[in-house]
Amino acid sequence: MHELGLLMEIVKTVEKFAVENKVGRIEKLVLQIGEISSVIPEYMKKVYPAAVEGSMLKDAALEIEILPANGRCLDCGREFHATVCGGVCPDCGSRNMKIISGRDFFIKEIECI
């Protein structure tokens, strides 16, 4: 389960940001996870308490936003939600597509006071 390791690195990154910006308290951490990334949101939520224990984030809420897996049809240029359409372009029916989003993983927001 690599989610714990990821969260521990995020904690380091957020704490460094907090120190550099003289943040007193972190209220919420918002992560964006692509729906076809290798990161499983449910696991992130499960291991979050262990990852933030003893850190500045120990009382911070975790919010996760799922980024859709979008594709671009290489035949007609249409962009579409690839997982909803089963990888088939809704305009021309082609399966010739390129994934353009959905593998991402970002720290979107750090809410602090």
Side-chain angles (χ1 to χ4, degrees), residues 73 76-80 85 88-94:
C73 178
C76 74
R78 166 85 188 265
E79 290 186 13
F80 58 95
C85 295
V88 177
C89 176
D91 281 355
C92 72
S94 172

CSV table of all heavy atoms in Angstrom, one decimal, residues 73 76-80 85 88-94:
chain,number,residue,atom,x,y,z
A,73,CYS,N,-10.2,12.0,-28.9
A,73,CYS,CA,-10.2,11.1,-30.1
A,73,CYS,C,-9.2,11.6,-31.1
A,73,CYS,O,-9.1,12.8,-31.4
A,73,CYS,CB,-11.6,11.2,-30.7
A,73,CYS,SG,-11.8,10.2,-32.2
A,76,CYS,N,-11.3,12.4,-34.7
A,76,CYS,CA,-12.1,13.6,-34.9
A,76,CYS,C,-11.8,14.8,-34.0
A,76,CYS,O,-12.3,15.9,-34.1
A,76,CYS,CB,-13.6,13.2,-34.8
A,76,CYS,SG,-14.2,12.9,-33.1
A,77,GLY,N,-11.0,14.5,-32.9
A,77,GLY,CA,-10.5,15.6,-32.0
A,77,GLY,C,-11.5,15.8,-30.8
A,77,GLY,O,-11.2,16.7,-30.0
A,78,ARG,N,-12.5,15.1,-30.7
A,78,ARG,CA,-13.5,15.3,-29.6
A,78,ARG,C,-12.9,14.9,-28.3
A,78,ARG,O,-12.2,13.8,-28.2
A,78,ARG,CB,-14.8,14.5,-29.9
A,78,ARG,CG,-15.7,14.3,-28.7
A,78,ARG,CD,-16.7,15.4,-28.5
A,78,ARG,NE,-17.4,15.3,-27.3
A,78,ARG,CZ,-18.6,14.8,-27.2
A,78,ARG,NH1,-19.2,14.3,-28.3
A,78,ARG,NH2,-19.3,14.8,-26.0
A,79,GLU,N,-13.1,15.7,-27.2
A,79,GLU,CA,-12.7,15.3,-25.9
A,79,GLU,C,-13.9,14.7,-25.2
A,79,GLU,O,-15.0,15.2,-25.3
A,79,GLU,CB,-12.1,16.5,-25.1
A,79,GLU,CG,-10.8,16.9,-25.7
A,79,GLU,CD,-10.1,18.0,-24.9
A,79,GLU,OE1,-10.5,18.3,-23.7
A,79,GLU,OE2,-9.1,18.6,-25.4
A,80,PHE,N,-13.6,13.6,-24.4
A,80,PHE,CA,-14.8,12.9,-23.7
A,80,PHE,C,-14.3,12.2,-22.5
A,80,PHE,O,-13.1,11.9,-22.3
A,80,PHE,CB,-15.5,12.0,-24.7
A,80,PHE,CG,-14.6,10.9,-25.3
A,80,PHE,CD1,-14.5,9.7,-24.7
A,80,PHE,CD2,-13.8,11.2,-26.4
A,80,PHE,CE1,-13.7,8.7,-25.3
A,80,PHE,CE2,-13.0,10.2,-27.0
A,80,PHE,CZ,-12.9,9.0,-26.4
A,85,CYS,N,-17.5,6.5,-21.4
A,85,CYS,CA,-17.8,6.1,-22.8
A,85,CYS,C,-17.1,4.7,-23.2
A,85,CYS,O,-17.2,4.3,-24.3
A,85,CYS,CB,-17.3,7.2,-23.8
A,85,CYS,SG,-18.2,8.7,-23.6
A,88,VAL,N,-14.7,4.7,-26.2
A,88,VAL,CA,-15.2,4.9,-27.6
A,88,VAL,C,-15.7,6.3,-27.7
A,88,VAL,O,-16.4,6.9,-26.9
A,88,VAL,CB,-16.4,3.9,-27.8
A,88,VAL,CG1,-17.0,4.2,-29.2
A,88,VAL,CG2,-15.9,2.5,-27.7
A,89,CYS,N,-15.2,7.0,-28.8
A,89,CYS,CA,-15.6,8.4,-29.0
A,89,CYS,C,-17.1,8.5,-29.3
A,89,CYS,O,-17.6,7.8,-30.1
A,89,CYS,CB,-14.9,8.9,-30.3
A,89,CYS,SG,-15.4,10.6,-30.7
A,90,PRO,N,-17.8,9.3,-28.5
A,90,PRO,CA,-19.2,9.5,-28.7
A,90,PRO,C,-19.6,10.1,-30.0
A,90,PRO,O,-20.8,10.0,-30.4
A,90,PRO,CB,-19.6,10.3,-27.4
A,90,PRO,CG,-18.4,11.0,-27.0
A,90,PRO,CD,-17.3,10.2,-27.4
A,91,ASP,N,-18.7,10.8,-30.6
A,91,ASP,CA,-19.1,11.4,-31.9
A,91,ASP,C,-18.9,10.5,-33.1
A,91,ASP,O,-19.8,10.3,-33.9
A,91,ASP,CB,-18.2,12.7,-32.1
A,91,ASP,CG,-18.8,13.9,-31.3
A,91,ASP,OD1,-19.8,13.7,-30.7
A,91,ASP,OD2,-18.1,14.9,-31.3
A,92,CYS,N,-17.7,9.9,-33.2
A,92,CYS,CA,-17.4,9.1,-34.4
A,92,CYS,C,-17.3,7.6,-34.2
A,92,CYS,O,-17.1,6.9,-35.1
A,92,CYS,CB,-16.1,9.7,-35.1
A,92,CYS,SG,-14.6,9.3,-34.2
A,93,GLY,N,-17.3,7.2,-32.9
A,93,GLY,CA,-17.2,5.7,-32.6
A,93,GLY,C,-15.9,5.1,-32.7
A,93,GLY,O,-15.7,3.9,-32.5
A,94,SER,N,-14.8,6.0,-32.8
A,94,SER,CA,-13.5,5.5,-32.9
A,94,SER,C,-13.0,5.1,-31.5
A,94,SER,O,-13.3,5.6,-30.5
A,94,SER,CB,-12.6,6.6,-33.5
A,94,SER,OG,-11.2,6.2,-33.4
